[in-house]
Amino acid sequence: MSPQAVKPVPIGLLAAQAEVGDSRVRPGGRWVSAVETAASETGVTRRLRMWSVHDSRVVDLLVDPEPAATRGLSGGVHAWHPRGNHVAVVLRGGGVVVVALDGDRPVSVGPLPLDPTRTWTGPEFTADGRELHLSADWAEIIGLDTETLESWVFH
């Protein structure tokens, strides 16, 4: 393609477009989730969404509170429980929540007992879903028992 054939995109249009990051496949393979970041009248907004791989359905999983940013050194923002009925999400303002789903619909959001003043990244569930592991302040790995909510530091 010659340089003359490429048309520049107006700057105003770029600002209006959304950006997606931290994409994950929901267990079962019927949905893909990601954090969508878009410019709004009040600044930048983020939401955790999932898109059906079979049709045009889109579901907002978490809008308020907002998920953390996905650019740069974010290290990951969300993780699906192996059964696909819960998703752990690192928040923009600090802390971590779990969104519970009933089928393909979010029904509740609850905070995890993790220090909201720390920077959390890279949540991952174990294969059996009994533990959630996260990085705290890019300095240590914290484990959390998903049933008792007891936490520990990996040494």
Side-chain angles (χ1 to χ4, degrees):
M1 177 179 282
S2 70
Q4 294 82 12
V6 177
K7 293 185 177 186
V9 176
I11 298 298
L13 185 57
L14 286 175
Q17 293 177 340
E19 188 178 281
V20 286
D22 193 46
S23 61
R24 305 274 187 256
V25 175
R26 182 180 180 191
R30 296 184 354 210
W31 294 89
V32 175
S33 58
V35 175
E36 181 183 82
T37 304
S40 71
E41 293 177 7
T42 58
V44 174
T45 59
R46 292 184 193 92
R47 68 183 68 220
L48 178 62
R49 300 187 114 173
M50 66 178 185
W51 293 263
S52 171
V53 299
H54 298 294
D55 54 43
S56 61
R57 287 181 295 156
V58 178
V59 175
D60 284 340
L61 297 172
L62 186 66
V63 177
D64 184 21
E66 288 186 7
T70 61
R71 293 187 119 196
L73 300 174
S74 74
V77 174
H78 76 293
W80 284 99
H81 186 277
R83 289 193 301 263
N85 59 346
H86 292 86
V87 59
V89 186
V90 174
L91 298 178
R92 180 180 193 170
V96 181
V97 297
V98 171
V99 179
L101 286 86
D102 180 10
D104 298 330
R105 188 175 50 91
V107 291
S108 68
V109 177
L112 290 177
L114 297 168
D115 183 350
T117 66
R118 299 190 79 176
T119 301
W120 297 100
T121 60
E124 288 295 331
F125 284 96
T126 55
D128 62 8
R130 292 183 182 168
E131 297 176 6
L132 177 66
H133 301 148
L134 306 98
S135 170
D137 302 323
W138 295 283
E140 55 191 11
I141 303 296
I142 305 294
L144 181 75
D145 184 300
T146 59
E147 292 180 16
T148 67
L149 299 179
E150 292 180 40
S151 62
W152 62 92
V153 177
F154 283 90
H155 294 283

